[in-house]
Each structure stands twice: as C-alpha cells, then as structure tokens.
C-alpha cells in the first residue's frame, strides 16, 4: 500500500503527463533512497549547492549551474540575476528595481499560464514584462525595436502551452539578444534534451527537475558561469522563500547522474498506445489515433476523439467521470472543448492503459451513467 493510500487519499492513474498538479514524476528507487538518506544527515548547504551546480554543468554542457525548487522559481531567480548580478545591495532591493535595467522582452504568444503566469514569475524577480507582437504573429522587428537602455534580457518560453505558429524562432530571438549584448534566457521546463539549448548558445536555460528528468520536486538553471554565480547569490534575496533543501539537491544530483541510462522509448510508447486504440476503436462514436507531442518532443500519445452525437456523452463529461472514480483517472485535456482527450504513456505503470480502456468502455456502454 502506498503512502497516499494509507492517508486515505484516492489512488491516481496519471495519464496526463508530468503534471505538477499530480506530483510531476514518480522517482526511481535510487532517487528515493537519496532523498531519505539526505533527510537524515547534515551538510554545508553552500557547498552542496556549488557541487550540485557542477553536476548540472557536466550533464548540460554548460559552464555552471544552480539548483532551484522548481522551474518557475528558476524564472524568478534568473530574472533577478540579470538585473542585480552579484551585488548584495541590489539583490536586497528585488523586486523593487525602479531605475535599474529591468525590462524582460517576451513574445506575446509566450506569456501563457502554466498553472501560474509566466509574467508574474518575471515580476517576482524584479522584471518589467515587455510583451512584443501579437498572440499569433511576432516579427523580428517587434523584438528589435523593443530594446532600449532599460532592457535586461530576452526570454523565450519553449512549451506546448505557448502559441506554436507565428512566433520568432529561438535562433532568431537569440541573434537579436546577442547582437545587442543582452542575456538570452530559455524556459525549457519540460524539455527532454538537457544540452540542446546550451549548444545553441543560450546564456541561461531553465529546466524542471521533476518532469522529463524524473527527479524530485526541484528545478535547475544552467548557463554562463558569471550568470550562475549571480543566480546562486539570489538566495540571499528573492530566492530565499523558494530555496531548495538538502533532500531536493541530493535527489536532483542522483537523477542527473542517472540520465545517461534514460530513454524516452518511443517504440514502447507507440506499442502501448496502439493497443489502447485497438481496444477503444471498437466503440461507436469514438476514434483513437497516435499523435506526437505538439512541441516536437519524443512523446507519442493516444488521441481520443469523442463524437457526442453518437456516444451521448461529451468529452468533458467523460473526463469528469474518469476523474471522479477510485482510482481516479486523469487524462490530458488541453483540447477537451473540441471533443479530444489524450493518454500520455510516460507516467503510466505497466498495464494501466488497459484499466483506462476498460473504464472508458464501461462508461460509454452505460456502466457509470
């Protein structure tokens, strides 16, 4: 019996992805052991933080790194770092940055809500958000012409939440930043490639430790050495209430050291989701197909389209019935308004796709009406 079941909480089947609302990832045994052992011992936190930074650097190919309690904290800390640097008098002013270079340029289609607001994370770090272009179209000139003497950095958000068309590319935006001698930050929270953006030339890259990495609740920043030193310094200021503890760093280090043996196993994902689709394909009014992640990651989900006129139940109603059960089944529901639900195979335990298919069949055949 798991700890949450012992507490009387419902069992969860997570088919929605590495979602913060469901606890992000279930860690491997070695990571769990590191969390346990770290919680029962003592360490110099500054030394541990510097060591963690070195591990981050080795894995990402960056000059240095900084651990955080999450990717959202990484946005706030990175923003504060490019504004205040390592100067304590400025660090202690954050988020009051009046008169400083504090403007952070973001494409309009990237100012999304990921569970909270990207813009708010920037403001927490003392940044003034400068959104450029339109929600479905940004020209390079929009970015170029927004730069002035108050610009602190340019931020690119790499996420399935953002608008995927009409935005300027990472390369185009980075060229503008470097042309003007400005730091280029990428929020790559859920990305699986931990070296790609450093190789491209980004100055700061932010990742979640609890998503693709499958580590504990944590995050990490990697990039230029002087900027990482500035990031760590923010723990004397705005970073203090979002600090990561010894357990989180120990678990993060362990997960990072295990990364070489990880694989997204796309063939296995496709096999499992094909089996799910074959079971669901027998139902009238329901079609199921395999779709790659909209942001281009090596994730292959089953996309289920519900024709309400035939099934007599909408995608939203089906979703609620699945979530109300015990076990509660959570599907990916970004397109529920157009009758589409998706199953993400990555967080599923062995055989759980069959439980999901059986429950959907039961509901649509009237067993849970």
């Amino acid at each position: 019996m798991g700890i949450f079941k012992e507490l009387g909480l419902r069992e969860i089947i997570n088919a929605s992805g590495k979602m913060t609302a469901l606890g992000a990832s279930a860690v491997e045994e070695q990571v769990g052991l590191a969390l346990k052992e770290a919680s029962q011992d003592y360490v110099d936190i500054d030394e541990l933080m510097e060591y963690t930074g070195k591990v981050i650097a080795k894995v990402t190919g960056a000059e240095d790194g900084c651990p955080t309690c999450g990717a959202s904290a990484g946005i706030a800390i990175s923003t504060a770092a490019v504004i205040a640097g390592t100067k304590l008098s400025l660090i202690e002013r954050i988020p009051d940055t009046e008169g400083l270079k504090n403007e952070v340029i973001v494409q309009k289609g990237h100012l999304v809500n990921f569970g909270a607001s990207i813009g708010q994370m920037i403001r927490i770090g003392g940044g003034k958000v400068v959104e450029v272009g339109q929600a479905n179209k940004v020209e390079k000139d929009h970015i170029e012409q927004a730069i002035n003497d108050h610009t602190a950095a340019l931020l690119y958000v790499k996420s399935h939440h953002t608008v995927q068309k009409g935005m300027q590319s990472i390369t185009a935006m980075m060229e503008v930043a470097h042309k003007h001698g400005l730091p280029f930050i990428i929020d790559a929270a859920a990305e699986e490639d931990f070296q790609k953006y450093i190789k491209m030339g980004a100055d700061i890259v932010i990742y979640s430790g609890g998503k693709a990495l499958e580590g504990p609740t944590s995050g990490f920043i990697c990039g230029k050495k002087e900027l990482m030193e500035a990031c760590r310094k923010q723990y004397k200021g705005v970073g203090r209430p979002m600090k990561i503890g010894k357990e989180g760093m120990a678990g993060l280090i362990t997960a990072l050291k295990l990364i070489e043996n990880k694989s997204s196993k796309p063939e296995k994902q496709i096999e499992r989701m094909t089996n799910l689709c074959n079971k669901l394909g027998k139902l009238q009014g329901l079609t199921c197909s395999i779709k790659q992640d909209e942001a281009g990651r090596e994730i292959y989900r089953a996309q289920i389209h519900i024709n309400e006129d035939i099934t007599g139940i909408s995608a939203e109603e089906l979703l609620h019935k699945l979530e109300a059960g015990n076990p509660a089944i959570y599907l990916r529901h970004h397109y529920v308004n157009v009758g589409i639900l998706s199953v993400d195979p990555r967080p599923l335990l062995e055989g759980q796709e069959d439980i999901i298919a059986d429950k959907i069949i039961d509901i649509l055949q009237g067993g849970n009406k």
Side-chain angles (χ1 to χ4, degrees):
M1 181 182 287
I3 180 64
F4 300 120
K5 202 168 182 178
E6 285 183 13
L7 295 173
L9 302 172
R10 287 185 302 156
E11 182 183 350
I12 300 293
I13 293 179
N14 176 14
S16 64
K18 307 297 179 67
M19 309 300 287
T20 301
L22 296 177
S25 293
V27 303
E28 293 187 18
E29 191 69 28
Q30 287 172 265
V31 177
L33 184 60
L35 292 166
K36 176 181 178 293
E37 290 183 350
S39 70
Q40 297 175 326
D41 205 349
Y42 298 94
V43 68
D44 183 302
I45 292 296
D46 287 341
E47 286 183 14
L48 179 59
M49 188 164 288
E50 287 195 21
Y51 178 79
T52 308
K54 290 176 183 176
V55 176
I56 292 168
K58 183 177 180 181
V59 170
T60 61
E63 294 177 6
D64 201 354
C66 174
T68 69
C69 65
S72 54
I75 298 173
I77 288 170
S78 295
T79 300
V82 297
I83 295 171
T86 58
K87 195 169 183 179
L88 187 58
S89 59
L90 297 183
I91 289 169
E92 291 178 341
R93 278 183 56 181
I94 302 289
D96 175 14
T97 58
E98 188 68 33
L100 302 177
K101 291 178 65 171
N102 64 355
E103 293 184 3
V104 178
I105 295 172
V106 190
Q107 299 184 72
K108 192 177 182 73
H110 286 190
L111 284 170
V112 295
N113 186 297
F114 59 93
S117 161
I118 290 284
Q120 186 177 25
M121 300 306 106
I122 294 169
R123 291 192 296 274
I124 288 171
K128 179 181 177 182
V129 179
V130 177
E131 64 176 53
V132 294
Q134 311 306 318
N136 65 339
K137 183 66 175 177
V138 178
E139 301 282 359
K140 201 169 183 179
D141 282 349
H142 284 131
I143 302 168
E144 189 94 43
Q145 292 167 15
I147 294 172
N148 59 48
D149 291 342
H150 299 292
T151 306
L154 278 64
L155 171 67
Y156 188 101
V157 181
K158 184 72 174 73
S159 168
H160 66 276
H161 290 297
T162 62
V163 175
Q164 299 297 314
K165 64 176 183 177
M167 298 297 104
Q168 288 295 303
S169 68
I170 290 172
T171 301
M173 197 172 187
M174 184 159 49
E175 284 175 356
V176 174
H178 291 168
K179 174 184 172 183
H180 292 270
L182 294 166
F184 182 61
I185 305 169
I186 299 182
D187 170 19
E191 291 295 289
E192 297 180 314
D193 191 330
F194 299 113
Q195 296 188 349
K196 179 178 179 178
Y197 304 113
I198 290 296
K199 287 178 180 176
M200 288 178 70
D203 302 290
I204 296 176
V205 188
I206 303 158
Y207 292 99
S208 168
K211 293 191 174 178
L213 184 65
E214 296 183 335
T217 299
S218 59
F220 58 98
I221 313 168
C222 57
K224 296 286 192 284
K225 186 168 184 60
E226 66 274 13
L227 291 171
M228 294 305 100
E229 289 173 357
C231 284
R232 290 194 294 269
K233 282 284 187 181
Q234 303 313 308
Y235 284 108
K236 291 183 177 292
V238 72
R240 182 69 180 182
M242 55 185 83
K243 64 182 182 293
I244 181 171
K246 59 187 179 181
E247 304 89 351
M249 282 187 274
L252 176 61
I253 289 166
T254 305
L256 286 165
K257 289 183 175 181
L258 290 172
I259 195 67
E260 290 181 6
N261 301 319
K262 282 193 180 295
S263 167
S264 59
K265 299 178 181 176
E267 300 86 3
K268 184 64 175 176
Q269 291 183 44
I270 293 169
E271 179 189 337
R272 296 178 74 184
M273 294 301 94
T274 299
N275 291 337
L276 175 78
C277 284
N278 288 341
K279 292 189 75 170
L280 294 179
K282 299 172 184 176
L283 293 170
Q284 293 292 316
L286 189 151
T287 57
C288 186
S289 58
I290 310 300
K291 299 291 183 183
Q292 187 176 359
D293 175 65
E294 54 267 67
R297 295 173 294 174
E298 283 287 326
I299 305 169
Y300 295 88
R301 303 184 181 95
Q303 188 177 90
I304 306 165
H305 189 275
I306 296 97
N307 186 333
E308 184 179 356
D309 293 336
I310 298 175
T311 62
I313 183 173
S314 69
E316 189 168 1
E317 290 173 310
L318 176 59
L319 179 72
H320 290 326
K321 285 179 180 290
L322 289 168
E323 291 180 357
N326 191 7
I329 299 172
Y330 285 82
L331 303 189
R332 197 173 186 85
H333 57 267
H334 294 77
Y335 301 106
V336 67
N337 60 309
V338 291
I340 294 173
L341 297 171
S342 296
V343 175
D344 191 323
R346 295 173 301 158
L348 292 179
L349 302 180
E350 195 65 37
Q352 286 187 333
E353 65 269 25
D354 293 324
I355 297 174
I356 293 168
D358 290 342
K359 189 61 179 178
I360 290 173
I361 291 167
D362 183 49
I363 292 171
L364 293 187
Q365 289 183 340
N368 198 32
K369 286 188 177 180

